[in-house]
């Protein structure tokens, strides 16, 4: 199976007539297995819209999204829900954990929702991947913000998705905690690329050049279009490009 995520000439317009807002204007991009990509751009440039369409949470107005050999545009709502459940992981700025469940039970939730009896070793492995094996029986209220976000990541990984989409995953965390978490994310992709277990593809939206510098590649959007990319980014190079884009916006 080709696990590359492909966006082909993606367009998205919200509303109609005089109120129409075009958020994406023909974006073509590939996220191959083994890649960790950050998406950056000025406010309103279309980053969240791109992520929502790529993750099958919103329908594009035109173009195609292909995830793990499946063209999302031909799927009905039921099939799309199943694909999201089985092949796609999400992490948002807010952790969205259930407060009455332990870390292990939160991680097991996607499997239970899919009608699969969670195997304890699968849950332990997901918690181990994010460095939380010692916290399996703690409830979210007994964990730090960074630990809660790690539980959210373990929960997103437990179904072994083809790709993990993250929207400002470190937005609610302090600098040290977010760097720690970003190193973990980068480590998951690099280990999987080296033949180990882990998630093979991560796509992350961020506003922060330092956060983006943990990715293998940064792609830049402006006014709904792809306007450049930097491989092996440094925070300084990303910040300089952002200043340029914000001045032009
Ligand atoms: N549900 C919606 N209805 C109407 N317009 C929308 C909707 N969602 C987004 N937009 C518009 O689409 C454009 C792109 O928005 P989007 O949220 O994708 O940008 P962004 O780059 O993620 O912005 P930010 O960095 O501020 O979060 C903006 O002009 C926004 O106002």
């Amino acid at each position: 199976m080709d696990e590359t995520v492909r966006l082909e000439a993606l367009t998205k317009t919200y509303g109609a007539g005089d109120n129409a807002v075009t958020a994406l204007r023909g974006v073509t991009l590939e996220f191959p297995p083994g890649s960790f990509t950050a998406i950056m751009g000025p406010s309103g440039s279309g980053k969240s819209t791109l992520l929502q369409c790529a993750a099958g949470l919103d329908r594009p107005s035109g173009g195609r999204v292909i995830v793990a050999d499946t063209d999302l545009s031909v799927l009905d709502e039921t099939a799309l829900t199943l694909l999201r459940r089985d092949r796609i992981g999400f992490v948002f700025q807010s952790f969205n954990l259930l407060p009455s469940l332990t870390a292990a039970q939160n991680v097991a939730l996607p499997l239970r929702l899919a009608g699969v009896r969670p195997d304890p070793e699968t849950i332990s492995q997901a918690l181990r991947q994010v460095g939380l094996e010692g916290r399996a029986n703690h409830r979210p209220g007994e964990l730090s913000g960074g630990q809660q976000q790690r539980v959210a990541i373990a929960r997103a990984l437990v179904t072994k998705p083809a790709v993990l989409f993250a929207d400002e995953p470190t937005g609610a965390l302090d600098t040290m905690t977010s760097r720690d978490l970003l190193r973990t994310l980068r480590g998951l992709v690099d280990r999987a690329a080296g033949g180990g277990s882990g998630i093979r593809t991560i796509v992350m939206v961020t506003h922060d050049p330092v956060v983006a510098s943990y990715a293998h590649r940064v792609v830049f959007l402006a006014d709904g279009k792809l306007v450049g990319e930097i491989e092996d980014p440094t925070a300084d190079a990303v910040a300089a490009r952002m200043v340029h884009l914000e001045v032009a916006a």
Side-chain angles (χ1 to χ4, degrees), residues 90-105:
F90 308 97
V91 180
F92 301 101
Q93 181 173 340
S94 53
F95 319 132
N96 297 328
L97 300 176
L98 294 185
S100 61
L101 301 184
T102 64
Q105 288 166 338

Side-chain angles (χ1 to χ4, degrees), residues 14 21 23 42-49 207:
Y14 293 106
V21 176
S43 179
S45 58
K47 303 180 293 294
S48 293
T49 301
H207 283 102

